[in-house]
Amino acid sequence: MEVVLLPTPEDCGRVVADAVQAAVTSGLGRTGRVNVGLATGSSPLLAYRELIRRHRDEGLSFAGVQAFLLDEYVGLPAGHPESYREVIRRELTDAVGLDPAVVHGPDGSAADPLAAALRYEEQLVTAGPIAVQVLGIGANGHLGFNEPGSSLASRTRVKTLTEQTRSDNARFFGGDVEAVPRHVLTQGLGTILRAGHLVLVATGEAKAAALAAAVEGPLSASCPASVLQLHPHVTVVVDESAGSQLERADHHRYVLAHKLADQGW
Ligand code: GLP
């Protein structure tokens, strides 16, 4: 696992964009097709803005990309502005020329959410591996919507949100906790582990404890993001605030300062 500690959230956005760009261009170069895993929430927004800028100003092409979302609320009607399908369309995929037909997510508006979860897991298996998966982390250590206690081997399924997550996300629903759905569909931790490269981005003091637990704490379902420790290719991109509780922060800065020129992310 590489932990990249950077001065500002904008720096973090650029490194995440670098990692996505590397997977997209190498995948497209090899086969003309590539699967990219996208997260919603506020953490990846600066990376998405940077990808949009590179698409617009530098000709970064997303033709041949299929995008797959991590998670979705259950019960929001299709087209609801806070459904993750709509959020990602608004924040990234429209602006980089990805047709909604190649942007996939679990169907939170399905009459049978349990069946929708199984369908999405199958769709991910059939589509083949995700080359790069962008991730945020919840203040309680959740990954996707895998709340504490989630099996480290879990697959896409229905989960019930903690009250903390509902209140954390109320800001997207006009501050009204009651408007935040109780149930969600999320890729499981085992599903996420199948991606080729996991890139977690976290900024701000509110993520510091969860980030330290994920990176330096024990591997435990109590901190779902600690499952990253099992994966062979993880890049954790954090600003100084989110990294402020890392005991090995000095070592991470040292590693970054001595990175080999062609080492990549
Ligand atoms: C949300 C999402 C996660 C996200 C996390 C952090 O509820 N389901 O995918 O990574 O919680 O959100 P934010 O980036 O807004 O802090």
Side-chain angles (χ1 to χ4, degrees), residues 53-224:
R53 189 196 65 72
R54 293 180 192 186
H55 173 71
R56 193 188 54 222
D57 300 344
E58 298 172 5
L60 173 62
S61 172
F62 287 81
V65 169
Q66 299 262 342
F68 291 88
L69 290 176
L70 271 180
D71 48 14
E72 185 57 277
Y73 291 110
V74 166
L76 297 183
H80 186 289
E82 290 311 324
S83 73
Y84 283 167
R85 187 84 72 110
E86 277 301 296
V87 171
I88 205 69
R89 195 183 59 67
R90 209 163 54 227
E91 302 292 353
L92 178 66
T93 55
D94 270 3
V96 297
L98 282 175
D99 190 281
V102 298
V103 181
H104 312 285
D107 182 3
S109 64
D112 182 348
L114 293 121
L118 294 177
R119 269 203 309 279
Y120 192 56
E121 183 71 24
E122 276 169 26
Q123 189 181 0
L124 286 163
V125 169
T126 307
I130 303 285
V132 63
Q133 175 67 58
V134 178
L135 297 163
I137 184 172
N140 63 2
H142 74 222
L143 214 54
F145 268 136
N146 293 280
E147 296 282 37
S150 291
S151 158
L152 300 178
S154 49
R155 305 292 186 213
T156 306
R157 67 216 184 290
V158 174
K159 290 293 283 180
T160 307
L161 294 181
T162 62
E163 287 303 295
Q164 180 185 346
T165 298
R166 289 183 75 222
S167 94
D168 286 349
N169 286 5
R171 68 190 192 280
F172 297 114
F173 291 82
D176 178 9
V177 183
E178 284 314 307
V180 183
R182 281 205 162 70
H183 298 101
V184 292
L185 289 164
T186 183
Q187 288 191 31
L189 296 170
T191 314
I192 293 167
L193 286 182
R194 292 200 303 258
H197 183 193
L198 302 181
V199 182
L200 182 140
V201 57
T203 56
E205 188 69 39
K207 300 294 175 69
L211 199 278
V215 172
E216 294 178 340
L219 176 65
S220 166
S222 295
C223 178

